[in-house]
Amino acid sequence: MILKLALDTPLPDLIDYRWTGEARIGQRAIVPWGRQTVMGLVVECVEHSDIEPARLKDAIAVLDDVAPLDAEWFRLLRFAAGYYQRPLGEVALPAIPALLRRCGAYRRVEGRPLSRSMTALRNRLAKAAARPPSADSASSVPVMNAEQADACARIEAAEGFTAFLLHGITGSGKTEVYMHAIKALLSRGRQVLVLVPEINLTPQLEQLFRGRFPLARLASLHSGLADGERALQWLVAHEGQADIVLGTRMAVLAPMPRLGLIVVDEEHDPSYKQQEGLRYSARDLAVVRARQAGIGVILGSATPSLESWVQAQRGKYTKLALTQRASTDAQLPLIRVLNTERVQLDHGFTLAMREAIGVRLARQEQVLIFHNRRGYAPVLSCGACGWLSPCTRCSAHTVFHKNDGRLHCHHCGWEVRVPRACPDCGNVDLAPLGRGTQRVEEALASWYPAARVLRIDRDSTRRKGSAPAMLAAVHAGDVDILVGTQMVAKGHDFRNLTLVGVIDADSALFSADFRAAERLFANLMQVAGRAGRADKPGEVLIQTRFARHPVFAALTSHDYPRFAAGQISDRRAAGLPPFSHQVILRAEAKTIDLALAFLVSARELAASADATGVVLYDPVPMSMVRIANVERAQLLLESSSRPALQAFLPRWISSLRGLRSRVSWHVEVDPLEI
């Protein structure tokens, strides 16, 4: 028998191996690859090979310790490989947990390859299956309003593939709609996949699911899991034991034989786009997977992506609207814009903001200060010569972190102790310039010494389990003022939080990215939704020097359709996504000249690949040119026709592989950052 295997290599073709035993498509196989032994995936079993017999190598083992991956899973992975222009092996193998890809863990016992790790996993699976459910009874079910009930009825009545865009204002009870849809699918013996954009949203949803569905088996999949735990959760999903699979973007590729519904919460979130390896959109693959399986998919958001909004306008998605807050006592917060154009700020705060904080503290209510920049200060400066703390490896400045007295690069991870004097002129009076969450936390603690101030960002939550513990403290009322980045902007239901303050909201407006306004609106609307979610009225104060900007006008009226209409009009006029389709070829080299020269050659090759209907722009350095001593440039491709672009890419990429160059390159389809 000849096994055609997908290997995790850049080679576009399947690799042939001889095998004398039994094998099935979807099994893992251990094979020689050069001087290494690697894990491959059986994609085809045939009788003959086009390779000369003398050149064929024998497979070492075909593993039967895991049920073969099915045709439905391969169908999704083949689509992803084709659409995102990557070999099947580079898509399929990384989608399997690392523990199941380690050849060294296997040894032969009585002719069979066995793994101690797999034996341990099987024992854990058996114990988990025998364990009774953790909850005694289901938690109470909130009474739905008319809009929620209508949305649930329409979802349950749908047959076959249907994509629903659940547009609900913050606090409108989108999660409750998810719960009713999930309950209906579980009653039919089907599995449900629930995607969330960030790891820190999984613990509260896990608790919610376990309370609502005590008899259901829940599996979690995200990058925060240790290898053994991730393999265990993946197996539970793959073998059909999990009823609900909850995870971040990686979970969209998990095999689920009984899949009946997919839910994508906060579907607009850019975290659903993978930025390394296979650069896929989990939201888009969720829709593709639902279409292939003939099932429903729910895309939920208070601020839908313009791509999804336009799909709903075109009738390809079914729009469901929730315009009221689910709690009858909760009202939308009052959003006020504080014009700082001619106002003196104290540590970035207006007097009005500080007074509003004091009022809430006097009422024993909670306050959230949103500042999407971590660290103490964005840069350390010398007032004598103008020196600004640089990263020696990147075209960026290092960020001053006061807690450890070091300068950190948030791009490459390089760090160094704060110098005692200016490296250029010797001045010892170095000062932090600007502010990050650490500096905001320090200022608030000095103004309100009796208040309990807590900062939640990537720095304060590095230790495992720290983020859930901190969020639990906020829910328990042990925090008066919460300072946070976008980690706390969405998905959290803080019942006693009545004031949200946003400082330095303008930085996102000074961007060449055409999506900057869309992202700013989404971030601010999401964080505004944390205020007044119970019976106490909420207020949101946004400080800005551009109070008349259309983003803030739409925010104060909670009018996403108005904002979206303006953005769609601008995008249509400019021929930008979603009214065009983009691809970026990025090149990395030791010098920027090498990177640009490669892209010039790539652009010239387009003519021989028939670029009809595709526009190739001139190569340019990336906005962040150097990261970790690597120079970067890019070439943008654009087309009004997705089929034309997809037809061109394989021919062009094939010719790019023939270029001799000391350049690393990759192609990204549907990039979110240009």
Side-chain angles (χ1 to χ4, degrees), residues 135-149:
D136 296 328
S137 60
S139 57
S140 60
V141 179
V143 177
M144 294 192 299
N145 60 33
E147 288 182 330
Q148 290 174 302

Side-chain angles (χ1 to χ4, degrees), residues 444-520:
L444 290 167
S446 66
W447 292 332
Y448 311 102
R452 297 162 295 179
V453 182
L454 177 67
R455 171 172 52 88
I456 297 183
D457 56 24
R458 283 178 57 190
D459 299 312
S460 67
T461 58
R462 289 187 183 277
R463 288 184 300 177
K464 185 175 181 180
S466 57
M470 290 182 176
L471 291 169
V474 181
H475 285 288
D478 297 332
V479 175
D480 300 310
I481 304 177
L482 173 60
V483 179
T485 58
Q486 61 184 10
M487 286 181 65
V488 298
K490 49 185 168 289
H492 302 292
D493 193 13
F494 304 127
R495 309 299 290 178
N496 194 40
L497 197 153
T498 60
L499 176 66
V500 169
V502 180
I503 61 175
D504 196 22
D506 298 334
S507 57
L509 295 175
F510 302 103
S511 172
D513 189 346
F514 65 86
R515 290 186 173 90
E518 179 184 1
R519 289 175 179 161
L520 177 61

Side-chain angles (χ1 to χ4, degrees), residues 34-275:
R35 297 181 179 179
Q36 299 177 314
T37 300
V38 300
M39 189 76 73
L41 196 61
V42 179
V43 178
E44 296 179 33
C45 301
V46 297
E47 295 182 357
H48 304 287
S49 172
D50 295 333
I51 307 297
E52 297 177 10
R55 296 176 57 194
L56 283 176
K57 293 184 178 181
D58 292 319
I60 298 171
V62 174
L63 305 177
D64 60 1
D65 53 357
V66 173
L69 292 153
D70 62 21
E72 199 68 43
W73 186 81
F74 270 108
R75 188 180 177 195
L76 175 67
L77 273 289
R78 285 185 184 277
F79 172 87
Y83 185 79
Y84 294 107
Q85 305 298 321
R86 300 298 290 260
L88 179 60
E90 285 192 336
V91 177
L93 271 299
I96 299 172
L99 192 65
L100 304 182
R101 290 183 274 123
R102 292 177 187 162
C103 300
Y106 289 85
R107 59 190 179 89
R108 285 196 170 273
V109 177
E110 297 179 354
R112 285 190 63 207
L114 295 177
S115 165
R116 291 181 180 178
S117 300
M118 279 302 303
T119 301
L121 282 177
R122 286 295 174 194
N123 290 336
R124 291 181 63 186
L125 280 171
K127 290 179 180 179
R131 191 181 304 131
S134 56
D136 296 328
S137 60
S139 57
S140 60
V141 179
V143 177
M144 294 192 299
N145 60 33
E147 288 182 330
Q148 290 174 302
D150 178 68
C152 291
R154 295 177 66 183
I155 292 171
E156 292 179 20
E159 296 182 359
F161 166 70
T162 310
F164 295 97
L165 178 60
L166 182 62
H167 174 221
I169 61 171
T170 54
S172 60
K174 293 185 291 294
T175 303
E176 191 58 37
V177 174
Y178 302 156
M179 291 293 176
H180 277 259
I182 291 170
K183 180 181 179 181
L185 266 294
L186 294 181
S187 67
R188 301 176 199 165
R190 305 294 293 275
Q191 292 175 297
V192 177
L193 172 62
V194 181
L195 300 179
V196 294
E198 296 178 7
I199 294 175
N200 64 358
L201 294 177
T202 56
Q204 65 183 36
L205 276 177
E206 279 188 29
Q207 183 178 4
L208 186 61
F209 285 139
R210 294 188 194 282
R212 184 65 69 87
F213 308 114
L215 300 179
R217 182 81 180 272
L218 177 66
S220 292
L221 282 172
H222 54 76
S223 59
L225 299 175
D227 284 351
E229 186 62 26
R230 181 180 170 188
L232 177 68
Q233 300 293 319
W234 186 89
L235 279 172
V236 170
H238 169 51
E239 298 186 352
Q241 298 179 36
D243 300 301
I244 302 172
V245 175
L246 171 65
T248 52
R249 60 176 177 259
M250 68 166 61
V252 76
L253 299 177
M256 298 176 64
R258 298 184 289 112
L259 184 61
L261 175 70
I262 304 177
V263 175
V264 185
D265 193 28
E266 310 291 1
E267 66 87 26
H268 68 279
D269 199 291
S271 298
Y272 282 122
K273 185 67 186 291
Q274 171 75 14
Q275 297 297 337

